[in-house]
Amino acid sequence: MSNQSEADGGLVARVESIASFEHQHTMLSRIQHALHSNPALVPLIVLVLSVAVFGALLGTKFFSSFALTLILQQVAIVGIVGAAQSLVILTAGIDLSVGAIMVLSSVIMGQFTFRLGLPPAVAVACGLAVGTFIGFVNGWLVARIKLPPFIVTLGMWQIALASNFLYSGNETIRAQDIEASAPLLQFFGQSISVGGAVFTYGVIFFILLVLVLAYILRHTAWGRHVYAVGDDPEAAELSGVNTKRILMSVYALSGLICAFAGWALIGRIGSVSPTSGQFSNIESITAVVIGGISLFGGRGSILGMFFGALIVGVFSLGLRLLGADAQWTYLLIGVLIIGAVAVDQWIRKVSA
Amino acid sequence: MQPILSASNLCKRYGRVTALDNCDFELMPGEILAVIGDNGAGKSSLIKALSGAIKVDSGDIFLDGKKVNFSSPIDARNAGVETVYQTLAMSPALSIADNMFMGRELRKSGFMGKVLRQLDRPAMERIARQKLSDLGLMTIQNINQAVETLSGGQRQGVAVARAAAFGSKVIILDEPTAALGVKESRRVLDLILDVRARGIPIILISHNMPHVFEVADRIHVHRLGQRLCVIDPKDYTMSDAVAFMTGAKAAPGTTASAA
Ligand SMILES: Nc1ncnc2c1ncn2[C@@H]1O[C@H](COP(=O)(O)OP(=O)(O)OP(=O)(O)O)[C@@H](O)[C@H]1O
Ligand SMILES: [Mg+2]
């Protein structure tokens, strides 16, 4: 009898401890689940917080439509390249050649116009075609020959960058010349202003690109397949996804987007310079990672990358306006990168 | 009667491992054919060859008497052969509905679907929910839940529901009840019988002899990459079947020739 009640008491205690554990569990796991289904939430929160903090510290100097749209202009190029990078990283790949494709495409647009005398529209089309082609070659090597994306794009980075210097003869095409005879090349530098806000066409293109890609990734079969390939390529293949075609199309599209970034780059800096955009590959990966897209593929959203790029822009401008050493920006970005990956790992454990 | 799906002399090597060694196979219309065999006997390799997931080194496969050459699971699916692989082949981060319609998504009608290629999520979710409740799997509350948040058994249930929903000619199940509880296994077995009642033949790989003997019309015993024999469950006991498949007892065909 006494045994019985002891056992009961033990049982009650155990049930209670489970219940309290479950309670804590649900609190945390609710957040975990929310982040799991909305991976762009973390970067959005960080973005809002950092805008609030810099706004509080700097007042209207920072919190003006002019300054805020300036951030957009400063991150537009990296953001466009980041959109390309996002697609590739969603397939569990990586594209180190994005910056080189961008610069090579811009050089082709410039040199085809000024050296070959082609109409600017044709030169731009050629630049876009070359970018797409390089991306396609990357995709072909990854999908068909099954080489690791890191190696393929590491090689392509060198190849595209060297071609860029060899072909351009390291020569810059001056902004005045472009403005005088081929203003189409600077198309993305034009802007509209609403009040104090200045939106360059490059910024508008960046925002539209993100929205269109977000739609495609979420609402089309192709988009779902991109996630499936990045998630588990074998499962995707077995459940009816043509993984090779998806990979090749993703890399080719990445190349095309980078070529557009090259065109936008001419608009941003005015000239065509073979030495510009040196760090776009690392900067784009930074935006992607801070944006909460998993480097292991299959998780994250392109909106997150958008917020990630803006976070970098907010930190750079905010700290500069505060008069801080630029190194502080890099230091904080570094912290954010590591933090973002830690959060990603945690979200992945949702199933456990 | 002509087999609906058959294969002759299938060979498949992985380096020095021979997974399929001149294997023959026959599935008759409307039957449940169980495939049993030890671990590593080559059962999964056999059904992967039949479903286009692996390319065999040699041998022929016939569907409805016509030679087929599936170069991918998509080809097999388009021909009406639907498979639940042992690994389940699901994308963990995607939703149940996404997974059920992977590679055969429904698009909206009109401009949104034709030009903007927008998926018809409401329709896909409705059908997915329907198929799962047919299987009695509505312990799953949210059809948009990521598959990785499901239990192992629920995942298996989703995979089986997917195959049952779309298979029109042959359904292949590679250990569909391995992770399931008693009640869920029961549901899957009932589903298998339902599917047969619809006239669709099934290949069932299983290590669970009671299940096999309950539902199978014939049993294909697989050993060392080959079809050892095909037996009728009414003529043999479970321990006979296990003895054949482990080599403890000579198979019917071979005893006859030895005698
Ligand atoms: N991708 C592969 N690479 C190398 N060897 C493989 C591969 N797939 C299967 N094998 C080998 O082929 C043989 C048959 O494997 P298979 O998976 O067909 O066995 P099985 O009968 O399905 O076993 P189980 O009952 O454990 O599922 C095994 O020896 C296995 O190691
Ligand atoms: Mg197997």
Side-chain angles (χ1 to χ4, degrees):
Chain A
M1 198 54 213
S2 70
N3 260 346
Q4 173 95 46
S5 66
E6 235 171 68
D8 280 350
L11 188 64
V12 170
R14 216 173 313 140
V15 167
E16 270 169 7
S17 76
I18 289 171
S20 70
F21 171 77
E22 289 253 348
H23 181 67
Q24 287 173 2
H25 186 71
T26 47
M27 271 309 288
L28 256 182
S29 76
R30 205 171 297 156
I31 300 174
Q32 201 177 17
H33 272 94
L35 297 180
H36 186 266
S37 38
N38 299 297
L41 222 51
V42 179
L44 179 60
I45 292 167
V46 173
L47 177 64
V48 170
L49 282 180
S50 52
V51 169
V53 168
F54 283 114
L57 290 174
L58 290 159
T60 50
K61 203 155 56 142
F62 180 82
F63 219 67
S64 65
S65 44
F66 176 77
L68 293 179
T69 49
L70 181 65
I71 293 173
L72 271 172
Q73 291 168 41
Q74 285 170 341
V75 302
I77 302 294
V78 168
I80 295 169
V81 176
Q85 189 70 264
S86 301
L87 291 174
V88 173
I89 288 183
L90 279 175
T91 67
I94 193 140
D95 193 342
L96 298 174
S97 63
V98 282
I101 296 178
M102 169 180 82
V103 177
L104 178 60
S105 303
S106 76
V107 161
I108 285 173
M109 292 174 192
Q111 297 289 351
F112 276 26
T113 306
F114 286 85
R115 203 189 302 172
L116 301 186
L118 292 177
V122 175
V124 165
C126 291
L128 296 178
V130 169
T132 311
F133 176 74
I134 298 174
F136 175 79
V137 173
N138 280 336
W140 186 81
L141 290 169
V142 169
R144 294 274 166 197
I145 315 294
K146 304 222 178 303
L147 299 178
F150 185 91
I151 301 301
V152 167
T153 59
L154 181 67
M156 195 55 83
W157 172 18
Q158 304 299 331
I159 294 169
L161 205 60
S163 311
N164 154 55
F165 286 124
L166 289 172
Y167 180 63
S168 66
N170 221 342
E171 162 200 333
T172 298
I173 303 171
R174 294 187 311 159
Q176 303 92 297
D177 298 342
I178 297 175
E179 206 174 330
S181 55
L184 178 72
L185 295 183
Q186 292 174 342
F187 173 78
F188 285 112
Q190 290 169 264
S191 60
I192 48 173
S193 47
V194 187
V198 181
F199 295 97
T200 61
Y201 287 4
V203 165
I204 295 169
F205 175 77
F206 169 41
I207 294 172
L208 287 179
L209 177 70
V210 167
L211 292 178
V212 168
L213 287 177
Y215 170 86
I216 291 176
L217 286 170
R218 176 112 198 89
H219 290 289
T220 71
W222 185 84
R224 296 285 87 191
H225 293 181
V226 168
Y227 278 90
V229 168
D231 210 1
D232 183 343
E234 231 166 278
E237 181 78 37
L238 289 178
S239 55
V241 174
N242 190 336
T243 52
K244 290 198 177 81
R245 210 179 61 202
I246 294 291
L247 279 175
M248 286 197 282
S249 60
V250 161
Y251 281 88
L253 181 57
S254 165
L256 175 64
I257 294 172
C258 292
F260 268 104
W263 189 6
L265 181 68
I266 305 176
R268 173 96 189 118
I269 61 180
S271 58
V272 171
S273 159
T275 55
S276 56
Q278 294 283 348
F279 300 105
S280 316
N281 53 2
I282 292 302
E283 285 167 354
S284 68
I285 295 170
T286 301
V288 168
V289 171
I290 293 180
I293 297 181
S294 170
L295 284 175
F296 302 106
R299 278 149 225 264
S301 79
I302 195 133
L303 281 179
M305 184 286 302
F306 180 73
F307 300 139
L310 285 177
I311 289 169
V312 175
V314 166
F315 273 70
S316 317
L317 185 72
L319 289 168
R320 200 167 74 220
L321 290 177
L322 279 174
D325 190 318
Q327 295 307 326
W328 282 104
T329 310
Y330 296 118
L331 192 147
L332 286 173
I333 299 293
V335 171
L336 280 179
I337 291 174
I338 294 173
V341 173
V343 170
D344 173 49
Q345 290 291 0
W346 181 62
I347 295 174
R348 280 172 164 269
K349 293 208 191 90
V350 78
S351 52
Chain B
M1 199 163 33
Q2 175 186 290
I4 187 160
L5 182 64
S6 66
S8 61
N9 296 315
L10 295 180
C11 290
K12 175 71 188 177
R13 290 171 168 284
Y14 292 104
R16 273 192 275 137
V17 178
T18 304
L20 291 176
D21 181 12
N22 270 304
C23 180
D24 294 330
F25 176 84
E26 267 168 13
L27 175 72
M28 291 300 173
E31 76 169 344
I32 297 176
L33 176 73
V35 176
I36 63 171
D38 272 341
N39 292 122
K43 306 180 296 297
S44 296
S45 303
L46 170 63
I47 62 101
K48 280 186 178 168
L50 296 174
S51 72
I54 58 173
K55 265 207 164 67
V56 286
D57 303 327
S58 63
D60 299 312
I61 298 171
F62 304 87
L63 182 65
D64 277 333
K66 282 193 287 288
K67 190 165 159 15
V68 287
N69 216 334
F70 298 142
S71 61
S72 76
I74 306 176
D75 288 352
R77 256 167 47 163
N78 291 340
V81 178
E82 197 72 27
T83 310
V84 175
Y85 294 96
Q86 198 166 3
T87 53
L88 301 184
M90 292 208 270
S91 297
L94 297 184
S95 74
I96 298 169
D98 280 337
N99 268 287
M100 283 193 71
F101 284 88
M102 185 60 64
R104 54 182 144 220
E105 292 81 358
L106 304 179
R107 282 209 302 270
K108 286 206 168 129
S109 56
F111 178 77
M112 290 310 283
K114 290 213 177 66
V115 182
L116 299 184
R117 315 196 65 79
Q118 188 173 54
L119 297 176
D120 192 348
R121 273 181 200 283
M124 295 198 293
E125 286 164 14
R126 185 167 33 84
I127 296 172
R129 204 173 288 123
Q130 170 75 49
K131 297 299 171 193
L132 288 182
S133 52
D134 286 354
L135 243 189
L137 266 169
M138 278 326 281
T139 48
I140 294 167
Q141 295 137 17
N142 181 358
I143 207 80
N144 289 315
Q145 207 172 332
V147 161
E148 67 192 341
T149 63
L150 298 176
S151 76
Q154 288 175 320
R155 266 181 238 195
Q156 205 154 30
V158 172
V160 172
R162 169 167 80 176
F166 294 102
S168 62
K169 210 150 219 168
V170 175
I171 294 179
I172 303 175
L173 305 169
D174 193 348
E175 304 197 22
T177 56
L180 297 185
V182 176
K183 208 171 82 222
E184 289 77 8
S185 294
R186 188 69 255 152
R187 288 244 161 76
V188 168
L189 293 179
D190 288 345
L191 176 88
I192 290 173
L193 295 170
D194 268 7
V195 170
R196 180 179 60 182
R198 283 186 354 224
I200 299 172
I202 292 162
I203 304 170
L204 169 69
I205 298 183
S206 178
H207 288 290
N208 188 317
M209 289 302 144
H211 289 173
V212 166
F213 273 74
E214 183 191 332
V215 300
D217 298 306
R218 295 189 307 144
I219 301 174
H220 165 134
V221 182
H222 208 74
R223 185 167 156 73
L224 303 174
Q226 282 177 327
R227 177 171 70 179
L228 181 70
C229 58
V230 178
I231 60 175
D232 187 322
K234 289 189 284 299
D235 301 341
Y236 293 91
T237 64
M238 290 185 208
S239 45
D240 288 336
V242 172
F244 295 149
M245 100 191 191
T246 55
K249 204 163 160 183
T254 51
T255 13
S257 65

